[in-house]
Amino acid sequence: MGYVTRIVIIGGGPGGYEAALVAAQLGAEVTVVDCDGLGGASVLTDCVPSKTLIATAEVMTTFDSSYEELGIIVADDTPPEKQAARVVGVDLGKVNARVKRLALAQSEDITTSVTRAGGRVVRGRASVSPQQAPDGSRTVLVTGAAAGEPAELVADAVLVATGGSPRELADAQPDGERILNWKQVYDLDELPEELIVVGSGVTGAEFAGAYQALGSRVTLVSSRDRVLPGEDPDAAGVLEDVFRRRGMNVMSRSRAQGAKRVGDRVEVTLNDGRVITGSHCLMAVGAVPNTRGIGLEEAGVRLTDSGHIWTDKVSRTSAPGIYAAGDCTGIFALASVAAMQGRIAMYHFLGETVAPLRLKTVSANVFTDPEIATVGYQQSDVDEGRIDARVMKLPLLRNPRAKMQGVRDGFVKLICRPGTGIVVGGVVVAPRASELIHPISIAVDNNLTVEQIAKAFTVYPSLSGSIAEVARQLQASKPGGDD
């Protein structure tokens, strides 16, 4: 019997469990050490829970904003003088119970997939030994393991996929009741009456929009000029307009200095001395990598100033035999990127053909209403001279399917090379933009041209028709072409 390569994976999030599946399928002996349950924060406290909550909010928003225009009549006992009042409510306790149930079910499915593929799952906390053995192997120490589980694991390669945790402000410590981080919101039994969301990045914007739709009065505190400062400015502008139109109090250029409980209220102090109050406060001020105290630096793994693990394009760290994937690397905080990093690491170590990580083909989505989906080069790359490209934007107001569905906000934007017309980026702001971005992602990944997109059939009427239409406009306006 030949030698079997031993792989130990620390962390069971998308980077970890996808790597485990690949390694097991390639014949390696795989052990995943995880302390919370497979799926990691993505499944248990982040992506799956938040998008499940947002799914309920989406139904509420669609109903509230469209039922009258679409001719739907809601019969209830609301007195005539209050007919304009909201007639649909939400039971947050039931919503959160469903959120947790689905998250646990997904975690169990992932565990079953890994064990069925031949991997072993050990519950506990892992750290890496500082020395590498003469044969190149390393020892991974496991603490808190159940009886009968190993306290030490020998690995030919180690993958670190430990993820991140909510960043906390010294003067705004979450208490799990009134001041919350994004892991704690699913323990609420009642809808916050007045919710202050601190942080206008992706997490803050998603939760602010969701709770606004569920019925909370929301104040969004943004330290920047606009919400979603890292996203396409046109897209962020559409979303901020929608937020304000729906009654959200968006406070731009307002940095939170601290938050404290005062009885059943929360006071948030801004750096200019202003104080705003609400029934609850959600701190959404980013994440910190889970890289401290697990022996990485002692083992020769280089950490950046922010505590993230330095990796190359095939997920190698600075230490031989140690790879890293996911949020702990600080590349892109996306489950899809973590999974790709994990798969690439295993393909590389186990000698399979592997393509390095290509960040300019990554598609991402902000699950607000409307959603914002992006791929490839963006408007800022064009504006700041990082790429020579042409940009065309088409509002959804011109799309017949959008008109039928009562969709007023959104657009499709394509970015292409000026000479060849090769598509290098795109933005979609629309309901289900996460689905509509895929054809643009295929175009970017395969160097397709606007002409090829324009010639492909689309269903009429459909929102995807706008993708072909904006491609036709780029084709028609090509320098030297027929204008």
Side-chain angles (χ1 to χ4, degrees):
M1 185 175 178
Y3 178 79
V4 177
T5 304
R6 300 158 298 182
I7 305 289
V8 173
I9 298 170
I10 304 175
Y17 72 74
E18 287 287 350
L21 291 172
V22 167
Q25 289 161 4
L26 293 175
E29 178 185 290
V30 184
T31 302
V32 182
V33 183
D34 185 88
C35 57
D36 297 318
L38 292 200
S42 176
V43 169
L44 295 169
T45 58
D46 192 358
C47 291
V48 170
S50 65
K51 278 50 175 181
T52 305
L53 177 76
I54 288 166
T56 299
E58 187 178 73
V59 173
M60 301 281 287
T61 301
T62 302
F63 186 83
D64 271 0
S65 62
S66 302
Y67 77 94
E68 288 185 353
E69 180 178 341
L70 298 180
I72 297 171
I73 297 174
V74 179
D76 66 1
D77 297 328
T78 307
E81 65 273 13
K82 296 183 178 180
Q83 282 293 330
R86 190 186 193 98
V87 294
V88 178
V90 66
D91 184 332
L92 191 65
K94 286 186 177 180
V95 172
N96 282 339
R98 177 174 182 264
V99 165
K100 293 177 180 179
R101 186 171 64 250
L102 290 177
L104 287 175
Q106 181 69 7
S107 178
E108 290 170 2
D109 286 346
I110 293 168
T111 302
T112 300
S113 296
V114 170
T115 54
R116 187 176 292 158
R120 176 173 59 169
V121 178
V122 174
R123 179 66 70 93
R125 296 186 179 276
S127 60
V128 182
S129 64
Q131 284 83 31
Q132 194 173 19
D135 64 356
S137 65
R138 287 187 182 270
T139 300
V140 174
L141 307 176
V142 182
T143 59
E149 295 285 7
E152 291 187 1
L153 297 164
V154 178
D156 299 300
V158 176
L159 174 69
V160 181
T162 47
S165 299
R167 188 167 77 88
E168 297 180 354
L169 302 182
D171 295 325
Q173 293 295 308
D175 61 12
E177 296 178 355
R178 295 286 172 174
I179 303 175
L180 310 159
N181 62 36
W182 40 261
K183 286 187 174 184
Q184 298 169 331
V185 292
Y186 310 109
D187 294 326
L188 292 175
D189 292 324
E190 295 183 357
L191 188 69
E193 184 178 344
E194 301 168 275
L195 178 64
I196 301 169
V197 178
V198 177
S200 63
V202 173
T203 300
E206 287 183 347
F207 277 115
Y211 279 102
Q212 179 82 13
L214 293 174
S216 297
R217 293 196 298 276
V218 176
T219 296
L220 179 59
V221 179
S222 172
S223 63
R224 309 290 284 275
D225 291 342
R226 57 179 172 83
V227 301
L228 296 174
E231 298 296 323
D232 178 273
D234 292 332
V238 169
L239 185 64
E240 186 165 333
D241 287 345
V242 170
F243 278 174
R244 293 183 188 276
R245 191 174 71 227
R246 290 175 180 166
M248 187 182 299
N249 177 24
V250 180
M251 302 180 66
S252 302
R253 296 181 294 278
S254 301
R255 185 179 295 276
Q257 184 173 303
K260 65 178 181 179
R261 284 187 64 166
V262 180
D264 288 337
R265 306 283 292 172
V266 177
E267 290 185 354
V268 175
T269 304
L270 306 181
N271 60 352
D272 60 5
R274 287 178 295 166
V275 177
I276 54 177
T277 65
S279 62
H280 296 75
C281 175
L282 170 61
M283 302 300 298
V285 289
V288 293
N290 298 326
T291 55
R292 302 297 183 184
I294 56 175
L296 296 180
E297 290 179 291
E298 295 82 355
V301 175
R302 173 185 158 198
L303 301 183
T304 66
D305 292 341
S306 60
H308 292 95
I309 301 172
W310 176 89
T311 56
D312 64 12
K313 292 184 181 297
V314 291
S315 304
R316 288 179 297 191
T317 72
S318 56
I322 300 180
Y323 292 73
D327 291 4
C328 63
T329 67
I331 302 296
F332 274 163
L334 298 171
S336 58
V337 173
M340 184 62 75
Q341 288 177 292
R343 289 191 289 262
I344 286 173
M346 294 300 100
Y347 287 135
H348 182 269
F349 184 76
L350 295 171
E352 296 292 312
T353 303
V354 61
L357 185 65
R358 295 174 58 204
L359 294 180
K360 282 305 177 185
T361 63
V362 173
S363 57
N365 194 71
V366 184
F367 289 85
T368 47
D369 183 31
E371 292 182 4
I372 299 173
T374 56
V375 66
Y377 286 95
Q378 294 298 296
Q379 185 77 54
S380 59
D381 296 311
V382 179
D383 295 343
E384 296 169 19
R386 286 187 289 272
I387 186 172
D388 183 19
R390 297 166 57 227
V391 181
M392 186 71 68
K393 183 178 75 170
L394 183 68
L396 282 186
L397 278 172
R398 295 175 53 178
N399 182 286
R401 184 68 183 274
K403 294 175 183 176
M404 295 170 192
Q405 294 180 324
V407 175
R408 304 179 184 86
D409 305 292
F411 61 82
V412 173
K413 178 187 288 188
L414 285 183
I415 302 170
C416 73
R417 289 288 196 179
T420 60
I422 291 175
V423 178
V424 293
V427 183
V428 179
V429 181
R432 296 289 195 277
S434 49
E435 313 293 345
L436 292 170
I437 198 67
H438 192 232
I440 305 178
S441 296
I442 293 173
V444 171
D445 197 46
N446 292 277
N447 297 316
L448 302 184
T449 66
V450 291
E451 181 180 4
Q452 289 172 305
I453 294 178
K455 286 183 176 179
F457 276 97
T458 58
V459 171
Y460 182 88
S462 68
L463 294 183
S464 61
S466 288
I467 298 174
E469 177 59 28
V470 75
R472 283 190 285 270
Q473 290 190 13
L474 275 168
Q475 185 183 10
S477 63
K478 182 179 179 180
D482 297 328
D483 292 331

